[in-house]
Amino acid sequence: MTTQLKEVIQLDEILPVQYDLKIDVQSLANDSDEPELVKGELDYHFDVLKATNRLVLNCHEIVLDKVTLVKPLLSNSTPEISHNEQIMQTTLTFSEPLPIGTDAILRIEFHHNYAKDLLGHYDSTGHHLDGTPFRLSLTQFEPFYARNSFPCIDQPDAKALFNISILHPKDKIALSNMPVQSSTNVGDKSTLTVFQTTPKVSTYLVAWAIGDFESISGSCYDGKFAVNVYTMPGQKENASFALKTAVNAIEYLTKYTGIPIPLPKMDLLCVPDFSAGAMENWGLVTFREVALLADEKKSSIRAMKQIARTVTHELVHQWAGNLVTMTWWDELWLNEGFATFLADLVNNDLYPKWKIWNDFQVESQGAAFDADSKDSTHPIHVPILRVQDTEDIFDSISYEKSSCVLLMLNDFIGPEAFQKGFGLYLKELAYRNSTAEDLWEGFTKGTEDKIDVVSLMESWTKQTGHPLVIVRREGGKLHLSQKRFCRANLTNSGIEALSDETIWRIPLRVGVKYQGKADVTVLSHLMTERSITLDIADSEKIEWVKVNYGQCGFYRVLYADDISLNQLSAALTHNPDSLPVSDRLGIQSDLFSIANNSQGKIATCVECLSLVDKAYRKEDSLSVLRDAWMNLGSVIGINFEAVAHAKDNEYASTLVASFRKWKLGIFEPLAETLGIARLPEDKDALAALFSVPVTDDQEQVQLRAFVMNHLIGTRHKPSVEYLQKLFDETILPKITPIHLKEYEEMVKEVDRIERGDPEVVVSPEQIPGRIEADNALSTALQTIPANLRIPMFAAASLIQDKDAPLSELEVKRRQAFFAISHCISPILLPADQTMALSTFLGPCHRVEAKRMFLLCLSNRDTIGVRKMELYRAAAALCGLSQIGFGTEIWKLTIENEGKMWDALRARLSGNLISFMLEYLACCAVNSGSDERKAELTSLTEDFLTKRAASLPPITQLKIKEGIHTNTQLWDTQGAAVCDWIMNKGKS
Ligand code: BES
Ligand code: ZN
């Protein structure tokens, strides 16, 4: 790839130096005549490196009112302006060349409206304690939306200084990257807040926020560095966990990197509307509320972990990304891989009871393997020619696979060398831009030049996919060979016949357990060839051999001999503690993946089910159980989805009943052991089972919640009845006529959308008594132990008959979920709110589910689905594949010339488009009659062909592949899986 092809602005003629930017948001005032208007004035300082009469800036959806060159003086200081919309560049042409020299100044006056898609400079609404609404002004510039807010060279390598000032209504607080330098009244209604000059920073990291915030504060560096968390009114109490984590993470990372944060303060701000989860703007990190607000006493462990993970992730970026920034988006992974990996490394030390690496294995490694085994995967280092294509790669490869590869390197060169190398790299390139080569150089120095990090790592970052290591043991010889792990290779009849030529440099670890010896002997070897043979001593005494011991390597393992997997499976069955948690997890994970991707030719799904059924009966590790049941759930989900269309109702319901019976047989004994098979009536006893301080045994409590959730999935009667009663008695009495009226509004809105009637514009009004009612509802919900709320929601959302009208009680419960998900009380914890929303949007009911899909099209946030939460709706609706709705939902999206998708698409922006579409397509299976299959195939093909230009390219591939692989799984293994389950139901 040559740089000329990239749509970038070259920095060899004009070099940006400083932006003096004044933004006028007086429009935020309640009585503003032009509530949508943002005005701006920019003094753009630059150096002229080569005499030129052309100056290019990125601009998008901004009106330039006046453009003048202030310095140097030219005979005509007003340029001609031309704009190329496609590449979002505005070219200013002067009548004579600008002479070479420093500190030229261009002055631009401009204006635009607030963005409607949460990207760029947008507005939002918050609420005061008494429920009155107020407006906010917010920014989100990554990856290329700074140009929607002010003219600039919007590229990560065009770092500059920023002097930001904001003219805003007097009563509001203004925040930006830097501390306030001065604040002066302008007239009697406005204030001009001027911020200190930033260090050199890329445009995508610039930010400001204006609104009515409250805050709590802490400090680092012996009180020399302020850390503040800003929230909407009434929420600051729930910000202390984030503050504590932020303070500790900053101290930790300062020691880890040897570099203090080069800004005088760090603000964390959570806002009601936000497209991503959080954004690392330098000195002003922004979050959606669910990613920041929690209370150690009232929140679930899951919610707290998510917050710690997000806070630390964004703080890692202050070094990896903000101080040293990738040169171009093709190395986005340098940002995101590091933030993902180091966040877990830091939090593992901050919260040792959480066993974060177990979660890493289930979530990060799991997602990475999944995405990377598909044909639609891409190398970590991916060419990006158009900045628009960047959004397609904020994905599991850039985040999770990168973090896995860094974990592997950390393990291989050792944590000290890794830390040292990273610090050297940062110091070398501070305030500048970097490439992966710079990083490898740092790590090589970190190892004192002992390890060739470049060739090791490039085999992982530049090549597509990851290897499968095939193991054959013969006496004391361990034969290992590698091939790319992909469907083409795995479905080839003989594993020897694989054709792919790629070779990875694999840091191998092999664990060997000998009879009568407690310790495991570990062999390490860097595998650089296609095939190698290792010698194992005392082969006759081997109890088992586990390749990828510790699971730090990013490769799958296939045991192709007769003995290895049998020995491991015997160890799992009889003596699971002899294997570490990571390896117990790894064994089933590798097998599931091979079975899914080989169409049953190398391993089968039935073998996987049997393995879980037999070898994991004694399993008591949360992460192993979570992973195994996720893998199993996905196989089952695809088959149930297919059965719904390919078989009659009676067969389908017998199958589901058999599955539940078998699953209950596994989970009930677990529940007995954990003391939750019959939940206690006594409230304190219940609380003791499902809540625990952060410093105590968190895994046990999480395990109870996990098991309870699965028990509900099997319809375990005592648990279901108990939790439904708990919900009915605690929540239902708090649903007031105010809530019911809103629910009716929602019903009417869906009716309107269904009829295709035009949208009615309703300006949201303040409802008397609403905030009090919502406060009472939120308080009631918090009397339920935090970790029991998810299972309770699961129980209360069960529906008797997916095709019959809802019962009165079922409607009441849905009204309650609606009320919680649309509650405006600051007392409500965001994690509870989003869980209620997901529950509400994914009802196991044919008619209601379709109506929830329609609700996603409503633009009325107060009763519908906020733009930022749409992907949650897609995930919830697709979760319905267990009752055969997955394919229906996909059809609904694309039929009628994709009318529905177009309506949805109009509400989506950025990478939410990809998320939503992938979720909607991922549960579709092509099964049933030939007509039905042909119909779905042609609908999907039609949809993708007609929209080829408007959908992100990688997303298109993912959709096609997703439906295809689901269908193949059913076609090749569905019958065997169903037979196996049916048999389990009989025994
Ligand atoms: N830089 C990203 C935010 C972002 C994502 C901007 C996509 C533009 C497009 C941020 O650092 C991030 O990665 N946020 C994550 C949270 C994190 C805990 C994985 C997110 O938004 O989900
Ligand atoms: Zn990130």
Side-chain angles (χ1 to χ4, degrees):
M1 184 188 64
T2 57
T3 32
Q4 281 82 332
L5 285 174
K6 274 197 289 183
E7 289 174 0
V8 296
I9 301 175
Q10 300 298 334
L11 301 176
D12 55 347
E13 293 181 341
I14 304 269
L15 193 69
V17 174
Q18 181 174 310
Y19 295 81
D20 295 343
L21 183 61
K22 183 173 158 190
I23 300 288
D24 175 351
V25 292
Q26 295 181 90
S27 56
L28 286 183
N30 289 341
D31 56 357
S32 168
D33 304 332
E34 292 174 298
E36 293 303 320
L37 178 69
V38 182
K39 291 193 283 189
E41 274 172 41
L42 169 67
D43 272 2
Y44 173 56
H45 300 244
F46 57 94
D47 291 346
V48 182
L49 307 178
K50 273 191 220 153
T52 172
N53 59 351
R54 270 166 27 105
L55 186 150
V56 185
L57 288 165
N58 289 117
C59 256
H60 192 228
E61 296 182 347
I62 303 179
V63 182
L64 305 187
D65 299 312
K66 197 169 167 205
V67 183
T68 2
L69 191 73
V70 179
K71 234 177 99 183
L73 280 175
L74 299 183
S75 56
N76 179 359
S77 58
T78 314
E80 251 176 55
I81 301 175
S82 68
H83 182 69
N84 181 334
E85 178 57 26
Q86 208 183 348
I87 55 172
M88 300 179 285
Q89 291 181 3
T90 296
T91 303
L92 310 182
T93 312
F94 293 92
S95 49
E96 61 193 284
L98 308 177
I100 293 177
T102 54
D103 204 28
I105 304 175
L106 181 76
R107 181 163 300 161
I108 305 180
E109 291 170 28
F110 59 92
H111 72 271
H112 59 81
N113 282 351
Y114 288 108
K116 288 291 150 233
D117 58 3
L118 313 181
L119 300 171
H121 189 176
Y122 64 98
D123 61 337
S124 170
T125 306
H127 291 94
H128 288 292
L129 284 184
D130 63 1
T132 48
F134 63 86
R135 289 181 69 210
L136 301 144
S137 155
L138 306 165
T139 60
Q140 168 61 37
F141 291 163
E142 191 182 12
F144 57 94
Y145 297 101
R147 68 191 68 183
N148 289 34
S149 173
F150 59 94
C152 55
I153 299 195
D154 198 10
Q155 288 168 199
D157 59 341
K159 292 193 178 189
L161 309 179
F162 278 81
N163 282 315
I164 293 172
S165 51
I166 312 265
L167 183 60
H168 56 89
K170 188 166 110 195
D171 47 345
K172 297 208 189 272
I173 296 174
L175 304 170
S176 184
N177 306 81
M178 297 298 288
V180 173
Q181 179 171 309
S182 69
S183 172
T184 30
N185 288 343
V186 177
D188 49 355
K189 282 188 174 169
S190 301
T191 303
L192 180 71
T193 303
V194 178
F195 297 93
Q196 295 173 21
T197 312
T198 65
K200 275 181 89 176
V201 57
S202 304
T203 46
Y204 80 90
L205 293 168
V206 171
W208 56 79
I210 301 98
D212 302 4
F213 311 122
E214 60 177 38
S215 65
I216 55 170
S217 304
S219 66
C220 299
Y221 308 162
D222 294 323
K224 289 192 210 66
F225 182 89
V227 184
N228 311 298
V229 186
Y230 289 86
T231 69
M232 292 297 108
Q235 293 177 336
K236 69 176 179 197
E237 309 310 330
N238 291 339
S240 49
F241 177 70
L243 177 64
K244 181 172 94 179
T245 305
V247 166
N248 290 333
I250 291 169
E251 296 280 10
Y252 189 105
L253 286 162
T254 304
K255 284 200 198 92
Y256 187 83
T257 59
I259 308 172
I261 293 194
L263 305 184
K265 62 99 179 168
M266 179 63 59
D267 292 338
L268 285 70
L269 162 70
C270 70
V271 296
D273 279 300
F274 197 69
S275 67
M279 175 66 211
E280 69 267 26
N281 315 301
W282 216 358
L284 175 59
V285 182
T286 39
F287 297 79
R288 37 170 87 191
E289 290 172 353
V290 71
L292 192 85
L293 299 174
D295 180 294
E296 288 186 50
K297 293 207 178 63
K298 297 184 209 136
S299 291
S300 68
I301 301 167
R302 178 168 143 168
M304 312 266 290
K305 281 181 172 177
Q306 190 51 41
I307 284 162
R309 178 179 243 190
T310 315
V311 167
T312 310
H313 176 112
E314 305 310 338
L315 291 172
V316 173
H317 276 314
Q318 308 301 310
W319 286 263
N322 299 10
L323 183 63
V324 179
T325 313
M326 77 247 138
T327 303
W328 178 243
W329 298 106
D330 56 351
E331 297 202 279
L332 175 69
W333 79 272
L334 278 178
N335 268 11
E336 299 304 347
F338 259 103
T340 305
F341 171 63
L342 283 186
D344 283 348
L345 186 118
V346 172
N347 284 331
N348 185 52
D349 275 357
L350 296 183
Y351 303 103
K353 297 273 179 191
W354 280 354
K355 303 187 185 163
I356 301 240
W357 293 118
N358 290 349
D359 291 339
F360 178 90
Q361 221 191 327
V362 181
E363 291 160 22
S364 298
Q365 258 187 9
F369 274 134
D370 243 21
D372 204 40
S373 57
K374 306 228 164 85
D375 292 342
S376 51
T377 188
H378 58 83
I380 287 180
H381 183 145
V382 57
I384 297 286
L385 296 178
R386 304 179 322 143
V387 70
Q388 289 93 323
D389 296 335
T390 308
E391 284 180 327
D392 223 12
I393 59 156
F394 280 85
D395 64 2
S396 306
I397 301 300
S398 303
Y399 280 71
E400 277 80 18
K401 186 182 174 187
S402 307
S403 69
C404 291
V405 163
L406 289 172
L407 172 84
M408 181 163 68
L409 180 67
N410 186 61
D411 182 58
F412 183 64
I413 65 175
E416 294 80 21
F418 188 94
Q419 176 182 350
K420 190 172 159 208
F422 182 54
L424 288 172
Y425 154 82
L426 289 175
K427 276 174 210 134
E428 178 73 29
L429 289 152
Y431 304 106
R432 296 198 283 143
N433 295 85
S434 67
T435 63
E437 281 80 48
D438 300 317
L439 181 66
W440 307 146
E441 201 179 308
F443 283 133
T444 306
K445 282 188 197 142
T447 68
E448 265 131 33
D449 292 316
K450 287 197 193 99
I451 293 171
D452 173 10
V453 176
V454 181
S455 43
L456 170 70
M457 290 308 282
E458 286 193 345
S459 83
W460 296 93
T461 57
K462 294 204 164 160
Q463 306 192 112
T464 309
H466 60 275
L468 169 69
V469 171
I470 302 152
V471 181
R472 274 202 187 78
R473 210 168 92 213
E474 278 171 358
K477 298 279 178 209
L478 191 63
H479 304 293
L480 304 168
S481 61
Q482 56 162 303
K483 310 271 170 168
R484 177 169 164 199
F485 186 97
C486 61
R487 292 174 70 80
N489 277 348
L490 288 161
T491 47
N492 225 319
S493 47
I495 191 84
E496 316 302 342
L498 308 183
S499 58
D500 198 277
E501 287 306 313
T502 322
I503 291 184
W504 284 264
R505 297 173 84 84
I506 310 174
L508 288 173
R509 288 203 197 287
V510 179
V512 185
K513 172 84 169 60
Y514 292 101
Q515 285 149 15
K517 229 179 121 189
D519 291 351
V520 173
T521 308
V522 182
L523 316 174
S524 299
H525 183 84
L526 182 66
M527 179 173 180
T528 55
E529 300 93 52
R530 161 112 25 238
S531 309
I532 58 165
T533 299
L534 301 179
D535 291 317
I536 308 182
D538 299 328
S539 62
E540 61 299 341
K541 292 198 202 121
I542 292 174
E543 202 171 299
W544 48 255
V545 172
K546 168 73 180 50
V547 179
N548 200 6
Y549 189 67
Q551 294 287 135
C552 283
F554 194 67
Y555 56 94
R556 294 291 195 183
V557 179
L558 169 68
Y559 298 97
D561 54 31
D562 291 333
I563 175 165
S564 295
L565 190 58
N566 285 338
Q567 285 186 335
L568 286 169
S569 146
L572 285 168
T573 313
H574 304 296
N575 188 13
D577 287 340
S578 73
L579 278 152
V581 167
S582 55
D583 296 275
R584 273 145 48 200
L585 194 157
I587 293 168
Q588 54 79 35
S589 170
D590 284 356
L591 197 68
F592 265 107
S593 180
I594 292 166
N596 286 338
N597 286 291
S598 72
Q599 293 177 27
K601 288 195 177 135
I602 297 178
T604 66
C605 289
V606 165
E607 277 163 9
C608 296
L609 296 176
S610 306
L611 187 75
V612 174
D613 189 30
K614 297 210 184 74
Y616 286 86
R617 282 286 172 143
K618 283 192 186 157
E619 187 56 63
D620 60 359
S621 148
L622 173 63
S623 56
V624 179
L625 286 167
R626 255 182 89 196
D627 197 69
W629 282 87
M630 250 157 60
N631 292 331
L632 200 146
S634 122
V635 171
I636 297 294
I638 292 165
N639 283 296
F640 281 10
E641 173 67 34
V643 163
H645 306 287
K647 305 269 182 175
D648 58 47
N649 277 344
E650 201 191 316
Y651 181 90
S653 47
T654 317
L655 184 70
V656 171
S658 299
F659 176 68
R660 287 182 186 155
K661 186 176 158 202
W662 169 65
K663 185 169 164 177
L664 185 62
I666 292 184
F667 276 95
E668 206 170 23
L670 259 170
E672 300 278 0
T673 321
L674 293 165
I676 54 168
R678 294 283 182 283
L679 292 173
E681 283 308 322
D682 179 68
K683 289 279 175 289
D684 291 338
L686 187 70
L689 287 167
F690 289 95
S691 43
V692 56
V694 195
T695 44
D696 279 357
D697 189 352
Q698 303 261 306
E699 172 151 343
Q700 192 72 359
V701 170
Q702 271 204 296
L703 185 59
R704 287 198 191 102
F706 166 86
V707 170
M708 185 47 66
N709 232 2
H710 279 282
L711 271 189
I712 300 300
T714 69
R715 306 293 188 274
H716 180 244
K717 213 167 166 234
S719 303
V720 170
E721 283 172 357
Y722 181 103
L723 290 176
Q724 287 184 335
K725 184 160 164 263
L726 187 64
F727 185 86
D728 295 347
E729 288 178 358
T730 322
I731 306 297
L732 293 188
K734 302 293 173 192
I735 303 305
T736 67
I738 297 175
H739 296 122
L740 297 180
K741 189 161 167 277
E742 291 278 281
Y743 184 84
E744 282 315 309
E745 276 292 304
M746 181 278 297
V747 171
K748 275 193 240 153
E749 172 75 347
V750 177
D751 291 343
R752 177 195 68 76
I753 296 171
E754 200 158 27
R755 286 194 307 268
D757 288 356
E759 195 171 332
V760 234
V761 182
V762 190
S763 59
E765 52 175 321
Q766 201 183 336
I767 305 162
R770 165 89 190 264
I771 189 78
E772 291 78 9
D774 277 354
N775 285 343
L777 174 61
S778 308
T779 308
L781 181 59
Q782 283 171 17
T783 62
I784 313 284
N787 298 290
L788 192 60
R789 282 174 218 153
I790 293 178
M792 179 182 78
F793 280 8
S797 66
L798 293 178
I799 283 171
Q800 270 300 329
D801 184 339
K802 65 179 193 287
D803 294 303
L806 293 179
S807 75
E808 208 175 303
L809 185 57
E810 284 166 350
V811 172
K812 279 195 177 151
R813 290 179 186 145
R814 286 192 55 67
Q815 288 166 335
F817 285 122
F818 174 81
I820 301 169
S821 57
H822 289 77
C823 181
I824 59 165
S825 167
I827 298 170
L828 184 68
L829 293 158
D832 288 338
Q833 182 150 31
T834 51
M835 187 45 66
L837 181 66
S838 294
T839 312
F840 178 66
L841 292 172
C844 288
H845 187 266
R846 201 176 296 277
V847 178
E848 276 296 280
K850 184 173 170 200
R851 288 178 63 83
M852 291 302 100
F853 189 104
L854 295 173
L855 185 63
C856 293
L857 307 183
S858 170
N859 280 314
R860 291 174 59 187
D861 275 0
T862 49
I863 53 170
V865 188
R866 301 180 96 100
K867 287 177 180 158
M868 69 168 183
E869 302 293 12
L870 280 172
Y871 75 95
R872 240 181 256 287
L877 288 167
C878 281
L880 301 180
S881 60
Q882 302 265 352
I883 53 168
F885 282 178
T887 315
E888 293 304 309
I889 298 288
W890 174 240
K891 261 175 76 179
L892 205 58
T893 314
I894 56 172
E895 65 194 1
N896 297 324
E897 310 268 280
K899 214 172 97 195
M900 203 65 108
W901 168 252
D902 292 339
L904 254 183
R905 169 69 183 80
R907 304 196 68 222
L908 293 165
S909 57
N911 57 352
L912 288 179
I913 300 169
S914 302
F915 268 128
M916 183 98 190
L917 204 58
E918 253 178 83
Y919 276 130
L920 286 169
C922 71
C923 292
V925 187
N926 214 348
S927 68
S929 67
D930 288 348
E931 292 82 8
R932 214 193 91 87
K933 286 202 226 169
E935 189 202 357
L936 189 76
T937 308
S938 80
L939 273 176
T940 306
E941 271 170 13
D942 243 41
F943 175 78
L944 290 174
T945 322
K946 291 218 175 94
R947 279 165 184 71
S950 70
L951 296 177
I954 300 179
T955 305
Q956 295 182 38
L957 295 178
K958 282 183 186 161
I959 290 167
K960 266 190 237 165
E961 192 178 6
I963 300 175
H964 178 70
T965 53
N966 286 350
T967 306
Q968 269 197 342
L969 190 74
W970 163 247
D971 286 345
T972 56
Q973 306 193 61
V977 168
C978 291
D979 283 353
W980 190 87
I981 295 172
M982 284 295 202
N983 265 324
K984 283 290 159 189
K986 287 187 199 123
S987 56

